[in-house]
Amino acid sequence: MLFRSGFQRSTSSSSWCSARRTPTGLPRPALLLCPRLSAVGDDAEVVSLGARACRRAACVERVVYVSVDAGRELCTVVAHDAEEAGRHSLAEAYPLEGLLEDVLGSGDVVLCDVRAGQPLGAAGSIERLAQRQVLGVPVGYGSGDKRVTLGALLLIDRASSAETMAGMFEDDLGSPEVQVAESFAAMIGAVLGARNVARYATAGCDAVVSLE
């Protein structure tokens, strides 16, 4: 296949992939959803709601969100939203390798196409679920040296929906889906980041009080 304009080859094997730097700022679709997400209960609910909205907006078969541990060795599946016909069980955690390493290690958007007869990733990996394409976007908050990476949002395969059949979406994932994915990744990162900052501030105040 031809590389999309402005993209470069990623390190993932058995696939053609492209990578692009994630822009800063919070796009309008995510901005509109932020107040609703900020009001939900815990972080898992924030991620689940964001993943569901992202899947519908991008018209993909499934969206998976994984969080990465502090040691950057293990990724935990926090949310897996999929069409009923395309549901597959996932493990609770995965090592930081393959597509996850590409996305979280580079801080880039990574788009991979599945070659005929060459499935993505190792057996049992999240990217192995992809039949046609997988798009990965890092999720975090802050910028520059103070950027904190929380996890990654993975969009897998174009959905076989009425909208797709009616020609409302291209068969392949491309720039529009990258923009949607970046939008929701920024939104999730902003909400979770604000919550983390609030927790640290509260913990600091409690520590001061305990010393008095």
Side-chain angles (χ1 to χ4, degrees):
M1 65 168 284
L2 295 175
F3 296 118
R4 292 168 175 79
S5 176
F7 287 68
Q8 64 187 32
R9 184 79 177 273
S10 88
T11 56
S12 290
S13 60
S14 302
S15 65
W16 289 98
C17 301
S18 50
R20 181 159 70 85
R21 180 62 56 187
T22 304
T24 58
L26 191 59
R28 182 173 175 79
L31 187 62
L32 295 175
L33 188 59
C34 263
R36 182 181 175 189
L37 285 185
S38 300
V40 302
D42 58 21
D43 291 356
E45 289 183 76
V46 170
V47 172
S48 295
L49 182 58
R52 182 175 303 111
C54 181
R55 179 178 67 80
R56 293 173 177 171
C59 196
V60 293
E61 184 173 296
R62 72 183 71 249
V63 171
V64 180
Y65 176 84
V66 298
S67 62
V68 62
D69 66 2
R72 299 183 70 84
E73 295 181 352
L74 196 67
C75 293
T76 302
V77 175
V78 180
H80 177 203
D81 193 84
E83 291 186 326
E84 289 298 330
R87 286 196 177 278
H88 292 272
S89 60
L90 293 175
E92 292 184 1
Y94 293 86
L96 183 59
E97 60 186 26
L99 178 66
L100 295 175
E101 183 178 17
D102 284 347
V103 176
L104 294 170
S106 67
D108 287 339
V109 174
V110 176
L111 176 62
C112 296
D113 294 284
V114 180
R115 285 179 168 181
Q118 294 184 313
L120 295 177
S125 65
I126 297 175
E127 60 263 39
R128 182 58 71 94
L129 294 176
Q131 299 297 311
R132 297 175 299 279
Q133 290 176 300
V134 58
L135 170 64
V137 185
V139 175
Y141 64 96
S143 60
D145 295 338
K146 295 184 178 180
R147 175 76 175 175
V148 176
T149 299
L150 300 173
L153 199 62
L154 307 177
L155 285 68
I156 302 176
D157 292 335
R158 170 68 73 206
S160 300
S161 65
E163 290 84 358
T164 303
M165 298 300 104
M168 295 176 63
F169 293 88
E170 297 290 339
D171 291 338
D172 293 334
L173 305 182
S175 294
E177 288 72 34
V178 168
Q179 293 175 8
V180 170
E182 287 176 331
S183 174
F184 281 95
M187 172 269 297
I188 293 171
V191 174
L192 296 183
R195 290 181 171 213
N196 282 350
V197 171
R199 290 190 195 102
Y200 296 148
T202 300
C205 290
D206 290 343
V208 171
V209 171
S210 67
L211 291 174
E212 292 179 347

